[in-house]
């Protein structure tokens, strides 16, 4: 679910097509993809729209068990 | 069993982070415009912050800002009063201007919601 | 991989200078010795000269000259730090050797002057700097001293004795077992025969080391300090620390300790490892994930760690598709 607004003016992450749960810190989570999944990075229109925000999306794919 | 993934947004930043002295020096360069060189920045900082910084401290701060891409510098022609040495003049880059705006926005954000009676009176 | 650190610089270089003509050339030599960038040194010297001229006209030549010397000495540590920051690794090693030589020279001179024949000549604390011991332990801890002969060779400890003499009341046994029951500084005397050394025991008990459970860093990304917080019994931050940081797999990440005691975490190669921070008798354990830069996470293989730069403005959305792995069973 993507947020409608964003009071913190920070980009959000959403994952579709996977079961996700919290990981060891507040910014990350573990997901189980039983089929193809999609990851979205979304930045709301709230605030200064012209301001570019740079960040890094880090993905770690666990080895197969 | 399928692979599991870990997703993470590592850093979200619109500008390099600035220390208090770095921000003060950046603002001094902005104020001094064409006259922004080490000694002038030092005098400006002393007047505004009351801190008597050494020449070396001022230059290392300016150098750090240059390393972060917030300032650029060039040497002037040699000047007799400096023993024939040139002045190193500093100008603010686009990233420096954005960093100042970001710092102002950040300050406004942390003051937001604080009662006006608690706010410091403008000088 | 293990890195020890102390939160304060081990020592300070003391400089003495006489005021005489040609100060500028001496300062120039100092800047050169410190390895300052010539353009940087030129700017600093130019400023010193310009301000000196202004002060000489306003306050007189003598006052201005003293200002010049004082200002040059005040600037030296900053210039040294700048030189170290911008130097190559080889140059940094040379600078470190230079600093070490300056710091060790007095001790070497004393040993050379009062050289002996293998008899105990010096007691040196083996924890922290020579006469300053930081203890972060809550449980009793054994003080350690090194017994040196006049030539600086380490001799076996044949029974150093300890006693508390001043400061906060701290139980100190004669064999050197200390229990930091409260924060504060105490003076402790260590003696071996006629040799006596006065130590400042800085009790800074750490009750807890708080840290993120997971750290994510990128190969070639910024080097960051290991994020942890050591707190005392009141939950207040403890700043004077001695400890060790251990990284399980140094091919993935390493920790380097700077001269200022900062512990910098550097990503080496993509993968996962664990990091342990030990302060006194408390530990914090962190998972460290190191990612390699990539333009997209699509097509990521099992075991891979990828970091994808993302740039967005208000209203932007990026999407990547990630494949499920084939069923194993």
């Amino acid at each position: 679910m993507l947020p409608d607004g964003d009071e913190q003016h920070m980009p959000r992450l959403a994952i579709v097509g996977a079961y996700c749960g919290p990981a060891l810190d507040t910014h990350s989570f573990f997901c189980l993809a039983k089929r193809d999944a999609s990851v979205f990075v979304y930045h709301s229109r709230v605030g200064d729209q012209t301001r570019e925000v740079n960040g890094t999306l880090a993905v770690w794919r666990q080895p197969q068990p | 069993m399928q692979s599991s993934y870990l997703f993470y947004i590592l850093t979200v930043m619109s500008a390099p982070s600035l220390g208090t002295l770095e921000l003060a020096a950046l603002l001094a360069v902005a104020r001094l415009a064409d006259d922004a060189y080490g000694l002038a920045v030092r005098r400006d900082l002393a007047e505004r912050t009351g801190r008597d910084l050494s020449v070396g401290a001022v230059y290392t701060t300016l150098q750090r800002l240059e390393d972060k891409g917030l300032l650029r510098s060039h040497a002037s022609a040699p000047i007799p009063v400096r023993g024939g040495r040139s002045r190193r003049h500093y100008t603010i880059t686009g990233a420096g201007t954005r960093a100042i705006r970001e710092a102002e926005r950040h300050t406004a954000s942390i003051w937001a919601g604080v009662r006006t009676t608690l706010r410091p009176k403008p000088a | 991989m293990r890195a020890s650190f102390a939160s304060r610089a081990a020592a300070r270089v003391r400089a003495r200078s006489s005021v005489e003509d040609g100060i500028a050339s001496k300062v120039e030599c100092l800047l050169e010795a410190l390895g300052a960038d010539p353009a940087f040194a030129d700017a600093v010297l130019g400023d010193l000269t310009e301000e000196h001229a202004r002060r000489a006209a306003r306050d007189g030549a003598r006052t201005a000259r003293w200002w010049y010397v004082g200002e040059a000495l005040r600037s030296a540590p900053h210039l040294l730090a700048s030189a170290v920051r911008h130097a190559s690794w080889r140059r940094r090693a040379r600078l470190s050797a230079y600093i070490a030589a300056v710091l060790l020279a007095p001790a070497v001179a004393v040993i050379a002057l009062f050289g002996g024949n293998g008899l105990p000549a010096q007691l040196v604390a083996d924890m922290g700097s020579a006469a300053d011991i930081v203890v972060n332990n809550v449980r009793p801890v054994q003080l350690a001293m090194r017994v040196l002969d006049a030539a600086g060779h380490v001799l076996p400890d044949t029974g150093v004795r300890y006693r508390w003499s001043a400061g906060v009341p701290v139980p100190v046994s004669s064999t050197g077992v200390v229990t930091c029951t409260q924060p504060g500084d105490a003076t402790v005397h260590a003696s071996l025969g006629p040799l006596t050394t006065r130590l400042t025991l800085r009790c800074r008990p750490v009750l807890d080391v708080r840290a993120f459970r997971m750290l994510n860093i990128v190969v070639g990304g910024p080097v960051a300090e290991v994020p942890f917080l050591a707190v005392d019994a009141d939950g207040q931050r403890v700043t004077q620390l001695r400890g060790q940081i251990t990284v399980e797999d140094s091919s993935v990440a390493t920790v380097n300790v700077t001269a200022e005691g900062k512990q910098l975490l550097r990503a080496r190669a993509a993968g996962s490892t664990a990091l342990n921070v030990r302060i006194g008798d408390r530990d914090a354990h962190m998972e460290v994930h190191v990612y390699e830069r990539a333009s997209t996470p699509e097509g990521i293989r099992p075991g891979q760690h990828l970091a994808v730069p993302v740039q967005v403005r208000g209203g932007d959305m990026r999407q990547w598709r990630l494949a499920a792995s084939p069923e194993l069973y």
Side-chain angles (χ1 to χ4, degrees):
Chain A
M1 182 77 183
L2 297 173
D4 291 331
D6 186 355
E7 288 178 358
Q8 293 180 322
H9 304 183
M10 298 275 274
R12 299 295 178 96
L13 194 66
I15 293 140
V16 175
Y19 300 105
C20 296
L24 293 174
D25 66 17
T26 51
H27 297 289
S28 56
F29 34 97
F30 281 108
C31 299
L32 188 69
K34 289 180 82 68
R35 54 187 169 82
D36 283 4
S38 287
V39 55
F40 295 85
V41 170
Y42 168 82
H43 193 26
S44 82
R45 288 184 184 279
V46 177
D48 180 5
Q49 288 184 32
T50 58
R51 192 169 68 96
E52 277 187 349
V53 179
N54 300 303
T56 305
L57 169 72
V59 184
W60 167 40
R61 186 170 176 180
Q62 285 191 317
Q64 288 171 355
Chain B
M1 183 69 188
Q2 282 77 27
S3 287
S4 53
Y5 294 94
L6 171 72
F7 299 99
Y8 188 77
I9 290 192
L10 263 182
T11 53
V12 178
M13 53 190 184
S14 53
S17 60
L18 284 177
T20 311
L21 179 58
E22 286 177 339
L23 179 60
L26 196 59
L27 290 169
V29 171
R31 262 191 304 272
L32 292 162
D34 291 343
D35 197 30
Y37 72 104
L39 212 49
V41 170
R42 181 174 179 268
R43 285 183 199 134
D44 188 271
L45 288 174
E47 276 171 25
R48 290 173 188 278
T49 67
R51 289 177 68 180
D52 178 28
L53 297 165
S54 71
V55 172
V58 170
Y59 271 105
T60 45
T61 306
L62 293 170
Q63 202 180 29
R64 260 202 316 276
L65 291 169
E66 202 173 359
D67 290 347
K68 289 181 178 180
L70 306 181
L71 291 180
R72 72 170 71 89
S73 72
H74 69 275
S76 73
I79 299 171
V81 75
R82 294 171 66 86
R85 294 188 170 86
S86 49
R87 277 181 183 159
R88 182 148 292 274
H89 285 272
Y90 290 85
T91 47
I92 294 192
T93 62
T97 309
R98 282 197 295 280
I100 289 175
R101 285 201 198 115
E102 183 68 17
E104 190 182 18
R105 193 188 65 76
H106 180 67
T107 307
S109 155
I110 56 178
W111 276 105
V114 177
R115 287 202 313 270
T116 48
T117 49
L118 288 175
R119 294 191 180 194
K121 288 179 182 149
Chain C
M1 189 259 173
R2 182 175 286 190
S4 300
F5 62 90
S7 60
R8 299 179 326 139
R12 291 181 190 158
V13 181
R14 287 183 184 171
R16 216 194 295 174
S17 175
S18 62
V19 184
E20 55 194 46
D21 292 339
I23 299 167
S25 65
K26 286 186 173 58
V27 174
E28 199 160 2
C29 289
L30 174 68
L31 289 175
E32 197 182 330
L34 295 176
D37 168 35
F40 185 64
D42 210 45
V44 172
L45 285 166
D47 273 13
L48 288 174
T49 308
E50 186 178 339
E51 182 66 9
H52 173 261
R54 194 178 74 87
R55 286 176 183 250
R58 191 188 66 186
D59 308 326
R62 187 182 161 82
T63 308
R65 196 160 52 183
W66 275 110
W67 174 86
Y68 192 106
V69 173
E71 195 62 20
L73 291 175
R74 253 181 6 123
S75 295
H78 299 282
L79 299 171
L80 182 59
S82 165
V84 169
R85 208 171 61 238
H86 289 88
S88 64
W89 285 106
R90 184 173 292 183
R91 176 82 184 145
R92 278 184 202 188
R94 276 214 305 274
L95 277 171
S96 304
Y98 175 76
I99 294 164
V102 170
L103 293 176
L104 290 174
V108 171
V110 167
I111 291 165
L113 280 172
F114 304 103
N117 52 4
L119 292 171
Q122 260 189 302
L123 285 176
V124 180
D126 209 9
M127 311 159 76
S129 66
D132 218 15
I133 298 180
V134 176
V135 173
N136 300 121
N137 301 59
V138 176
R139 301 192 196 115
V141 61
Q142 173 70 57
L143 295 179
M145 298 292 289
R146 274 184 301 159
V147 184
L148 306 175
D149 69 8
H153 299 128
V154 179
L155 302 175
D157 177 356
T158 51
V160 177
R161 289 289 172 262
Y162 301 82
R163 70 179 169 81
W164 175 94
S165 70
V168 293
V170 171
V172 180
S173 78
S174 64
T175 55
V177 176
V178 172
T179 312
C180 278
T181 49
Q182 59 178 305
D185 296 346
T187 305
V188 172
H189 285 266
S191 54
L192 178 67
L195 286 176
T196 299
T197 298
R198 198 176 68 167
L199 307 167
T200 303
L201 185 68
R202 303 197 184 278
C203 278
R204 304 288 185 270
V206 169
L207 261 290
D208 191 18
V209 182
R210 296 173 189 165
F212 292 114
R213 291 168 66 191
M214 190 164 70
L215 298 176
N216 295 280
I217 51 177
V218 181
V219 176
V223 177
E225 274 193 79
V226 178
F228 70 85
L229 184 68
V231 294
D232 62 15
D234 300 325
Q236 298 297 309
R237 183 179 185 178
V238 180
T239 51
Q240 279 185 294
L241 301 172
R242 285 184 63 248
Q244 272 186 338
I245 297 182
T246 314
V247 180
E248 226 165 64
D249 186 348
S250 59
S251 67
V252 174
T254 52
V255 173
N256 301 103
V257 181
T258 67
E260 297 84 31
K262 288 183 179 172
Q263 311 88 45
L264 302 179
L265 181 62
R266 188 183 295 273
R268 294 285 174 197
S272 299
T273 186
L275 183 147
N276 192 68
V277 180
R278 184 166 183 81
I279 311 285
D281 36 44
R282 297 292 189 266
D283 287 279
H285 195 68
M286 296 174 233
E287 275 186 21
V288 179
H289 296 283
V290 178
Y291 300 83
E292 57 186 319
R293 291 192 191 282
S295 56
T296 174
E298 292 184 355
I300 184 171
R301 296 188 304 278
Q304 263 194 316
H305 295 66
L306 299 181
V308 179
V310 182
Q311 195 173 56
V312 280
R313 291 169 193 257
D316 281 355
M317 186 165 73
R318 303 265 183 280
Q319 178 188 358
W320 297 272
R321 292 183 69 80
L322 300 170
S325 41
E327 294 280 352
L328 291 179
Y329 303 105

